[in-house]
Amino acid sequence: MDKKVSELLNDQINKEFYSAYLYLDMANFYASKGLDGFANWYEIQAKEEQDHAMLFYQYMHNNSEAVTLDAIAKPDKVYTELIDPLKAALEHEKYVTSLINAIYAAAQAANDFRTVQFLDWFVKEQGEEEKNSADLITKMELFGSDPKGLYMLNSELGGRTYSAPSLTL
Ligand code: FEO
């Protein structure tokens, strides 16, 4: 495998685990505010990010590439308003999209079509992640300032259940 592609794929394992940690911190914030539904939403989001990390890990091993695990950064965002994590999540997903795009571009430049095909799932997934994050901000802006609206939204987010990623390797 091309060295740069391999390095970027390896880095992405760390970035996805960081995403999991960031979302767990958001769940932690909402749990401390008594919003168990929001906390549930982000706990499940954290699990999904661990799945993403493991897909990159497995892909590397399937291609006999060495994996190096690095320290996971501390989630250092500070949240004040209830909408703050929702906005931070959208910004973060846009950043992750830029990372996936950079690996994609490197794989294309190296004629590594297997990696391009592997990344196709993530390109689509990032589209969904950004849309889900943006939709949540819209809902919060519409209903979040009303106690009953917030209660309903919290109940809705509490109904989210975990499902394993549709991509298998
Ligand atoms: Fe692994 Fe939320 O992107």
Side-chain angles (χ1 to χ4, degrees):
M1 188 183 287
D2 176 79
K3 191 166 177 287
K4 187 176 176 198
V5 174
S6 180
E7 280 173 8
L8 289 172
L9 287 168
N10 189 85
D11 283 353
Q12 196 61 27
I13 299 171
N14 186 277
K15 304 281 189 197
E16 298 289 346
F17 276 125
Y18 172 74
S19 299
Y21 219 28
L22 185 70
Y23 285 129
L24 188 60
D25 195 44
M26 291 179 187
N28 185 38
F29 169 78
Y30 284 119
S32 76
K33 300 289 182 193
L35 290 168
D36 56 349
F38 283 75
N40 172 64
W41 178 275
Y42 281 111
E43 280 170 21
I44 289 171
Q45 194 63 34
K47 275 189 200 152
E48 279 196 3
E49 299 300 348
Q50 290 177 61
D51 290 337
H52 294 171
M54 292 308 295
L55 285 167
F56 281 97
Y57 171 89
Q58 191 62 51
Y59 182 75
M60 291 287 277
H61 278 293
N62 287 0
N63 287 276
S64 304
E65 287 293 304
V67 168
T68 306
L69 297 176
D70 209 340
I72 300 165
K74 177 180 174 163
D76 57 0
K77 293 193 195 309
V78 178
Y79 308 119
T80 310
E81 306 293 329
L82 293 178
I83 201 168
D84 290 350
L86 306 182
K87 289 181 173 171
L90 177 58
E91 280 317 299
H92 183 68
E93 287 303 335
K94 286 181 180 172
Y95 166 65
V96 174
T97 297
S98 76
L99 296 174
I100 299 294
N101 288 348
I103 312 172
Y104 202 102
Q108 269 189 333
N111 286 344
D112 182 351
F113 302 115
R114 187 187 302 152
T115 298
V116 165
Q117 199 171 54
F118 164 68
L119 289 171
D120 276 338
W121 184 87
F122 285 93
V123 171
K124 188 162 175 279
E125 173 74 6
Q126 282 312 118
E128 288 170 15
E129 297 273 62
E130 284 187 34
K131 184 182 184 309
N132 290 340
S133 304
D135 286 353
L136 261 185
I137 293 171
T138 303
K139 283 184 184 176
M140 193 65 167
E141 284 173 344
L142 283 171
F143 312 119
S145 56
D146 169 65
K148 272 191 212 152
L150 184 63
Y151 181 82
M152 296 293 284
L153 191 51
N154 186 60
S155 300
E156 181 189 323
L157 299 184
R160 183 182 185 185
T161 54
Y162 169 76
S163 59
S166 55
L167 176 66
T168 48
L169 295 175

